[in-house]
Amino acid sequence: MDFKLSEDQNAFCDTAKQFTKEMLAPYAAEWDKNAFFPVETIKEAAKIGFCALYASEAIGGLGLSRLDASLIFEQLSMGCTSTTAYITIHNMVTWMVGEFGQDALKAQWGSALSSGEKLASYCLTEPNAGSDAASLKTIAKRCGSDYVINGSKVFISGAGATDLLLVMARTHEKGAQGISAFAIPKDTQGISYGRKEDKMGWNSQPTRQITFENVRIPSDYRLGKEGDGFRFAMMALDGGRINIASCSVGTAQQALNTARQYMQERKQFGKHLAEFQALQFKLADMNTELVAARQMVRLAACRLDDNDPEKTAYCAMAKRFATDVGFKVCNDALQVHGGYGYIQEYPLERYVRDTRVHQILEGTNEIMRLIIARRLLTEQRVELV
């Protein structure tokens, strides 16, 4: 078992690190303060392939592995967690269009999404269907060669500023088998957007409710067959959990780096903070937990790349562990800074705010525990010995 990165993977990391240094880190605080969605910066990321990392080469994607993508997202999130998180969502939708879209849909949208010319949002969550995705109520009714969609989605990243909406809607009766997936252009008649939500974090991407009222789209905009939507959504969320876990790891690494530097510079009681054994131990624990989280994320990414039967459980474990550790490391780094960590002149409070939501997204961490426990109790797998 070789944990070393390949020459190509190191090159990917170096490219992402340079982009982060030049295009993300210098502006992240300003974007957060002003709730500014940096569309032009995202389009610059697309020029080097970062908007279609694991999307099919047939639609202009790079066709990289999920592990490769995880490495890149980790680096990018060290510069701006919120913007990187949106880029991961766009990547997920672009992959879905390339993987499951009909030929007409791929021809119209594939290259535009891969190039960053057009941006996308993922629309699964509803007012009464969050982690319980199978209970969604949005309806897609077949009318001749078209579908008419009615319903609403909430907490949609990029909504109102993106060009394509990947929407899960019900085409049949209750249950997961009745859900289908549709790609809907943002300006289709009957779509309306709610106010931009004021959030604790993730402020460089807008979040809105979307309402669909008699929205008519051609059947060419359906992904796969009727009833495939829930399966597609769960496949996407396996990768999404790796992505959001990678963002937690990257942000926590930057928080750790910042805390280490602060400890070497700040003096109290005539000594640098780095000379106090209690803080040395805290830093050691932060680093140990972060390394463990990173290795778990990369293991899960490899299981996903290999289409391992246990991939969903591994993605759930990685997401649960890495997002909890990521938030804790950021919070501990803030504590190391004392009062300075709480003011906006320093980035620690932003790291804490941005990583907190990772414990909720892509299924809450309580849902992750449920996925893992069910696998253990019903099938006795996931490394049971």
Side-chain angles (χ1 to χ4, degrees), residues 285-303:
D285 288 342
M286 292 162 66
N287 192 67
T288 300
E289 292 176 359
L290 183 55
V291 170
R294 177 179 290 114
Q295 296 307 320
M296 178 166 277
V297 171
R298 293 181 181 181
L299 172 61
C302 290
R303 294 295 173 106

Side-chain angles (χ1 to χ4, degrees), residues 69-321:
S70 172
L71 300 173
I72 292 168
F73 292 144
E74 180 182 334
Q75 290 295 326
L76 294 179
S77 63
M78 293 177 72
C80 182
T81 314
S82 172
T83 303
T84 303
Y86 170 75
I87 291 174
T88 72
I89 294 168
H90 178 85
N91 268 270
M92 182 170 66
V93 174
T94 303
W95 171 77
M96 293 180 75
V97 169
E99 195 75 10
F100 308 121
Q102 299 180 52
D103 290 342
L105 180 66
K106 288 191 283 191
Q108 182 178 355
W109 288 96
S111 177
L113 292 173
S114 294
S115 66
E117 176 188 350
K118 302 292 185 182
L119 299 179
S121 292
Y122 184 67
C123 307
L124 175 63
T125 303
E126 296 183 0
N128 294 307
S131 296
D132 184 13
S135 67
L136 62 84
K137 302 296 185 185
T138 297
I139 299 295
K141 183 177 180 181
R142 190 70 183 254
C143 295
S145 60
D146 296 338
Y147 286 92
V148 176
I149 298 177
N150 285 278
S152 62
K153 301 290 182 178
V154 295
F155 306 140
I156 305 304
S157 292
T162 52
D163 304 287
L164 187 69
L165 311 174
L166 200 296
V167 179
M168 297 296 162
R170 185 166 298 285
T171 49
H172 296 292
E173 295 301 320
K174 295 180 180 179
Q177 290 71 32
I179 297 172
S180 301
F182 301 90
I184 307 177
K186 69 167 184 178
D187 53 3
T188 304
Q189 186 174 355
I191 296 177
S192 59
Y193 298 91
R195 66 177 178 84
K196 186 169 73 170
E197 302 288 355
D198 296 322
K199 307 190 298 292
M200 174 180 172
W202 271 27
N203 288 320
S204 74
Q205 49 169 292
T207 301
R208 290 183 173 90
Q209 177 170 323
I210 306 177
T211 301
F212 302 88
E213 187 173 357
N214 294 323
V215 175
R216 182 178 288 268
I217 59 170
S219 58
D220 287 347
Y221 285 4
R222 188 191 67 232
L223 278 68
K225 301 176 182 177
E226 285 194 2
D228 282 343
F230 187 79
R231 180 170 62 88
F232 293 165
M234 294 303 101
M235 292 173 67
L237 288 177
D238 279 344
R241 288 164 184 157
I242 296 297
N243 295 346
I244 212 68
S246 302
C247 289
S248 286
V249 169
T251 308
Q253 183 64 65
Q254 188 59 36
L256 177 62
N257 294 348
T258 304
R260 179 179 58 192
Q261 181 178 350
Y262 183 79
M263 286 172 58
Q264 292 170 335
E265 295 173 353
R266 173 76 167 168
K267 281 188 174 182
Q268 289 287 278
F269 306 104
K271 297 193 297 183
H272 286 101
L273 296 186
E275 298 179 64
F276 290 92
Q277 190 176 64
L279 291 179
Q280 293 174 1
F281 285 176
K282 179 179 285 290
L283 204 68
D285 288 342
M286 292 162 66
N287 192 67
T288 300
E289 292 176 359
L290 183 55
V291 170
R294 177 179 290 114
Q295 296 307 320
M296 178 166 277
V297 171
R298 293 181 181 181
L299 172 61
C302 290
R303 294 295 173 106
L304 187 56
D305 284 328
D306 293 340
N307 197 29
D308 187 279
E310 296 295 306
K311 59 184 181 294
T312 296
Y314 275 93
C315 291
M317 288 191 289
K319 191 269 180 183
R320 202 290 296 167
F321 188 71

